[in-house]
Amino acid sequence: MTTTHTGPFPAAPTTIVRRGHIDLAVFETGDPAGTPVLLVHGWPDTHLLWNRVAEHLGTRHRVIAFDNRGAGASTVPAAVDSYRVEELAADILAVVEALSPDRPVHILGHDWGSVVGWELVATPGTADRIASFTSVSGPNLDFLGAYLRGPFSFARLRGAVTQGVASSYTAAFRVPGLADPVLRALSTRWPRFLSLFDGLDPALVHTAPTLREDMLNGLALYRANIGVRLRRPRPRRVELPVRLIVSTGDRAVRPVVNDEAPRWVPDLTRIEIAAGHWSPISHSVELAQLTADFIAEIARRGAGRDAAREAR
């Protein structure tokens, strides 16, 4: 397992953002004067997931990443309810307000970082703080719940079965203690596991020394959110620009989970890449470029609106 410090982020947090009793360890790299981009990781990762993406984005952007609650150098709350996506979305907003109070931030989320990003951009009042959201391999749980409860069709049934099979591991994750022995063993072989699961070069997998604890603590995400959101979904309209980067070879999150999104997101673009689940490692250049292109597009739109207002 690779635990030595490497990559663009500093070894120690750049700053600590406190929200209530939670301390969030924040790491910065890139151009301090550039457009701010906040990278949000999922399970069982830390900010180190973004090493290669940050190297490419950092040439022209201010890159901010942080360890989610329950991971890395951030606080580990004990209560399962503390891991509700509403709480993690509020953590993101706290980081945004602390690190970029005068300039909206672009969000790039992966896995649970994307799930939480969806919650954030659906929350009223965030449009003036978030400039755009790029989602990678993490569904909007409310959209997915609405899709599963939609009008019957064989296509919808196939989609539900396909994702159900892909998500079958989450049933074990939601039973306290059931998956712990397997995860403890996996934590010592994680780069090798990702090589088998996703075809990654193990040398590219940089893990935190807290990986075993992060794996076990992060199971609370599954217990706090999946059941309630899929049983009682509350899909909300998202007014921000959203880009879906769909990894067609993702064995955990199948493309069907995004089928409901066009109903609720007027400003939505979808791009497919031939990647597996851990695309921030395997397709870092492509993800960085797609994100940078989206940020540039949002800037052009803003300039166009400003020019139109001046012309009136």
Side-chain angles (χ1 to χ4, degrees):
M1 184 192 310
T2 305
T3 56
T4 11
H5 174 256
T6 183
F9 295 109
T14 310
T15 188
I16 300 293
V17 172
R18 173 159 289 183
R19 176 177 168 258
H21 65 286
I22 301 294
D23 286 344
L24 301 165
V26 180
F27 302 79
E28 283 195 66
T29 189
D31 180 1
T35 303
V37 187
L38 179 61
L39 311 180
V40 189
H41 69 83
W43 180 92
D45 298 303
T46 65
H47 72 283
L48 296 177
L49 168 79
W50 300 110
N51 273 356
R52 290 164 59 81
V53 172
E55 285 176 350
H56 300 293
L57 279 177
T59 58
R60 297 179 58 187
H61 302 82
R62 178 188 178 195
V63 180
I64 307 165
F66 72 103
D67 291 341
N68 293 338
R69 59 171 63 198
S74 292
T75 299
V76 181
V80 170
D81 278 354
S82 296
Y83 292 84
R84 290 180 296 117
V85 289
E86 297 94 329
E87 293 294 334
L88 278 85
D91 289 347
I92 297 177
L93 193 57
V95 171
V96 169
E97 291 176 341
L99 274 293
S100 187
D102 302 318
R103 192 172 184 183
V105 169
H106 297 265
I107 304 287
L108 169 60
H110 173 260
D111 188 75
W112 276 98
S114 175
V115 175
V116 176
W118 277 114
E119 176 66 22
L120 177 65
V121 298
T123 302
T126 56
D128 59 338
R129 306 301 306 120
I130 310 301
S132 73
F133 172 48
T134 299
S135 167
V136 184
S137 291
N140 182 311
L141 293 178
D142 295 308
F143 293 175
L144 179 57
Y147 173 84
L148 295 174
R149 280 160 175 71
F152 175 81
S153 71
F154 286 109
R156 191 179 296 266
L157 178 61
R158 282 194 301 272
V161 171
T162 298
Q163 184 56 49
V165 171
S167 298
S168 58
Y169 69 95
T170 66
F173 282 10
R174 291 164 60 193
V175 178
L178 184 60
D180 292 13
V182 173
L183 294 179
R184 288 192 182 97
L186 271 183
S187 69
T188 65
R189 304 171 178 84
W190 191 242
R192 177 58 178 161
F193 171 76
L194 292 189
S195 172
L196 296 172
F197 182 83
D198 241 12
L200 297 183
D201 178 356
L204 300 179
V205 181
H206 301 291
T207 62
T210 54
L211 177 63
R212 184 176 66 177
E213 292 78 14
D214 296 341
M215 281 184 162
L216 300 177
N217 295 329
L219 296 180
L221 291 165
Y222 298 85
R223 295 165 191 161
N225 297 292
I226 291 180
V228 65
R229 288 304 179 100
L230 296 187
R231 286 194 303 269
R232 295 188 296 276
R234 50 186 189 99
R236 290 151 287 165
R237 184 178 171 93
V238 174
E239 301 294 348
L240 292 167
V242 176
R243 168 161 285 179
L244 277 174
I245 300 179
V246 178
S247 298
T248 56
D250 192 329
R251 296 166 64 182
V253 180
R254 303 303 300 147
V256 69
V257 305
N258 301 300
D259 283 2
E260 189 77 8
R263 290 187 55 198
W264 301 95
V265 188
D267 191 350
L268 178 72
T269 56
R270 173 179 170 137
I271 294 176
E272 293 188 351
I273 61 174
H277 186 70
W278 270 275
S279 57
I281 299 173
S282 64
H283 289 65
S284 55
V285 175
E286 193 169 1
L287 279 188
Q289 189 59 57
L290 288 171
T291 303
D293 290 347
F294 193 38
I295 292 169
E297 178 188 331
I298 301 303
R300 285 192 297 271
R301 292 188 201 175
R305 286 192 296 268
D306 292 343
R309 279 195 294 268
E310 290 177 5
R312 289 195 194 104

